Amino acid sequence: MSRFILAALSCALSVSACAQAPQAPGSDATAAKSTTEAKPATAGSAESNVRNALKGLEPNLSVDYVGKAPLPGFQEVIAGGQLLYISDDGRYLVQGGIVDLKEKKDLTGESRALSSFRVNLLKSVPTSERIVFAPPNPKYTVSVFTDVECGYCRKLHSEIGELNKQGIAVEYLAFPRMGLGSKDHKEMISVWCADDRKQALTDSKNGKPVPTRDCTNPVSKEYALGQRIGVSGTPAIYAPDGTQIGGYLSPTAMRARLDDLAKADAGTPAGMK
C-alpha cells in the first residue's frame, strides 16, 4: 500500500519533459525544510485523521498543507508537491482532476493553496541564484527548472531568443534530474560557478565542454526545492501565479498560455486571489 501512495503522489509526466531519475524516499533530494512550521493538528480532527492516514502509509512523506477542500467531506492536501483530496475520516484518497459540473470549474486546477505554496517556495530563490534570460520590460516572467542534458530543455533553450521576443523572461533554476552527485549535477555546478553563467549554460546545452569549476552555489538547494515543489521532469515551467504550464512549450504556445492565465486572474475578484 505504501508503494501505491508513492505512485499516486508521482506527477504524470508530459511527453514534452525528460523524466527524473528515481529517488529513494527520505533522501537528500527530498529533504528541503518547510519555510513555516505547521501547527499541531487537534486530535480527532479531520486534519489529524488525514495526517495520521498518510503517516501510516509512508512515514517519511512530507505533508505541507491540509485544509478544507471544495469537495464536501474532504480535505485538500499538498504532499510531496502534489495536490490530493482525502476524506475527513482519512479513509479515501482522490487524485486527479475534480470538476464541478454545475459551475463548470476544474477545482483541482484552481487550487489557491497549491498555487500559493509554489509561489512562496519560488520566491525563496533570489534572482541572483538563477540564470536569467530576459528582454527589456518583459510582459511575463517564468521560472524554469532545467537540466543540461535533457533534450526538451535544450529545445526550449534553443528558442530563448523567440521567447524573449514574445515578452517572456526565463529564469532558470537548477534541477539535475539524474540526482545529486551525478554527472549532470557536477556539470551544473560548473555552469553556476562560471564567470559568465548564461554563456556557460548555453554552451552546456549545446554539448560544448564547460570548464570544471566549484564554488558556493545553489544547485543542490534548488534541486531539493524542485523536489518539494513537485518537479518530476525537466523542463518544469511555472507561471508567476504558481501554475505549472509545461513541459516544453513553443514560444507562441507559452505566450498564449500566459495570456489565458492573466485573463483568468483579471476576472477573479480581488478578495479571492
Side-chain angles (χ1 to χ4, degrees), residues 13-269:
L13 280 176
S14 164
V15 294
S16 58
C18 303
Q20 176 199 357
Q23 301 295 318
S27 68
D28 289 342
T30 56
K33 299 296 184 181
S34 173
T35 54
T36 59
E37 292 294 331
K39 296 180 180 179
T42 303
S45 67
E47 179 179 352
S48 176
N49 293 338
V50 166
R51 290 184 179 275
N52 287 337
L54 289 174
K55 186 176 181 180
L57 287 171
E58 178 48 58
N60 294 323
L61 181 66
S62 173
V63 180
D64 294 290
Y65 170 82
V66 179
K68 189 171 180 60
L71 187 66
F74 279 76
Q75 297 292 302
E76 188 174 64
V77 180
I78 300 173
Q82 307 303 316
L83 181 65
L84 304 168
Y85 296 102
I86 299 179
S87 59
D88 290 345
D89 61 4
R91 180 173 180 178
Y92 300 104
L93 180 151
V94 177
Q95 184 200 28
I98 297 178
V99 178
D100 183 331
L101 296 179
K102 183 178 179 180
E103 299 294 333
K104 297 180 175 61
K105 290 182 179 179
D106 178 358
L107 301 180
T108 308
E110 295 184 2
S111 170
R112 295 184 185 87
L114 182 58
S115 294
S116 178
F117 170 73
R118 288 171 171 169
V119 167
N120 288 335
L121 284 182
L122 289 169
K123 283 182 177 178
S124 71
V125 182
T127 303
S128 61
E129 294 183 356
R130 305 175 181 220
I131 299 181
V132 179
F133 291 80
N137 304 312
K139 174 72 173 178
Y140 302 110
T141 298
V142 295
S143 298
V144 181
F145 286 89
T146 193
D147 176 81
V148 292
E149 295 186 344
C150 165
Y152 282 107
C153 296
R154 291 182 173 186
K155 181 173 177 60
L156 180 75
H157 191 69
S158 72
E159 297 170 340
I160 202 76
E162 183 58 32
L163 285 164
N164 286 172
K165 288 180 182 178
Q166 291 282 346
I168 302 170
V170 176
E171 298 190 354
Y172 283 121
L173 294 88
F175 194 84
R177 62 191 175 90
M178 299 311 293
L180 303 182
S182 63
K183 178 178 178 292
D184 54 338
H185 176 230
K186 295 174 182 177
E187 187 168 349
M188 293 188 87
I189 289 175
S190 294
V191 167
W192 255 257
C193 290
D195 293 332
D196 186 341
R197 294 189 299 179
K198 291 173 65 174
Q199 186 60 53
L201 183 64
T202 299
D203 287 344
S204 184
K205 286 181 179 289
N206 287 333
K208 297 180 181 179
V210 174
T212 301
R213 299 281 296 272
D214 196 6
C215 65
T216 300
N217 67 84
V219 173
S220 296
K221 181 180 73 173
E222 291 177 5
Y223 177 74
L225 184 142
Q227 288 280 327
R228 186 156 174 251
I229 212 172
V231 175
S232 57
T234 52
I237 307 170
Y238 293 90
D241 69 350
T243 300
Q244 184 174 2
I245 60 174
Y248 165 80
L249 291 172
S250 70
T252 54
M254 191 183 301
R255 176 59 193 257
R257 181 74 173 108
L258 291 167
D259 285 341
D260 287 343
L261 287 172
K263 289 176 184 176
D265 186 61
T268 302

